[in-house]
Amino acid sequence: MAILIETMRREGYEFLVSRPRVITRTEGEKLLEPVERLFLDIPEAYVGVLTEKLALRKGRMEKLINRGSGRVNMDFVIPARGLIGFRSHFLTDTKGAGVMNTLFEGYEPWFGAIPQRMTGALVADRAEESRPMPAMPWRTAANSW
């Protein structure tokens, strides 16, 4: 996706790209969202870290199998919203040693708010000196370097 966007930008196209969103449905007065079954095959050392991260994303562990080989199989049911952006965290946390796969499970009632980003990023597009007044709100949100 990034390659296509950059190629089109260089060719002169102007467009906006938004964050991905899941498609919800309503049955009666209930708001339903898509859920997926998440299959993980990870080293034992990373069980705690991944369980914590998936719990924050409203994941519900359904199965944990440890066969004593140093690897663990885990199954979660998690809202599709909770999986947006998770793959990069997964690869970082397992140092590339984990295997992740998902399968659409169906629709379930809305799980509630899911925290999206724990840290932010400030990007400057010009190499200029910043003035104290406009930069004042950033001081509470960022570390200066």
Side-chain angles (χ1 to χ4, degrees):
M1 190 75 171
I3 294 169
L4 174 65
I5 291 169
E6 184 60 20
T7 303
M8 291 177 69
R9 187 192 66 78
R10 288 180 183 183
E11 291 177 0
Y13 290 95
E14 292 184 17
F15 54 93
L16 294 173
V17 179
S18 68
R19 298 184 56 201
R21 293 180 291 163
V22 298
I23 299 172
T24 58
R25 72 165 60 157
T26 306
E27 286 184 8
E29 292 187 16
K30 280 188 159 184
L31 180 63
L32 304 176
E33 68 177 317
V35 294
E36 298 193 29
R37 184 163 295 274
L38 173 65
F39 303 98
L40 302 178
D41 179 15
I42 59 171
E44 285 179 354
Y46 306 119
V47 170
V49 173
L50 291 174
T51 302
E52 181 181 349
K53 286 202 174 175
L54 288 167
L56 288 173
R57 295 168 176 261
K58 307 290 187 194
R60 183 177 66 234
M61 185 188 304
E62 300 223 327
K63 196 185 300 182
L64 178 115
I65 301 171
N66 186 347
R67 294 191 173 90
S69 63
R71 295 192 68 86
V72 175
N73 292 338
M74 300 168 70
D75 291 2
F76 285 83
V77 172
I78 185 168
R81 292 181 297 136
L83 289 174
I84 295 173
F86 177 69
R87 186 173 298 275
S88 61
H89 290 282
F90 174 77
L91 291 172
T92 301
D93 291 340
T94 62
K95 297 177 178 49
V99 179
M100 172 179 146
N101 197 6
T102 60
L103 182 66
F104 177 72
E105 184 79 6
Y107 283 84
E108 289 188 15
W110 188 258
F111 281 75
I114 296 177
Q116 295 299 315
R117 189 173 179 135
M118 302 302 175
T119 59
L122 297 175
V123 179
D125 62 350
R126 293 173 194 85
E128 296 179 13
E129 184 178 329
S130 67
R131 304 207 167 40
M133 219 38 185
M136 200 64 89
W138 298 346
R139 289 189 183 168
T140 59
N143 295 326
S144 298
W145 61 93

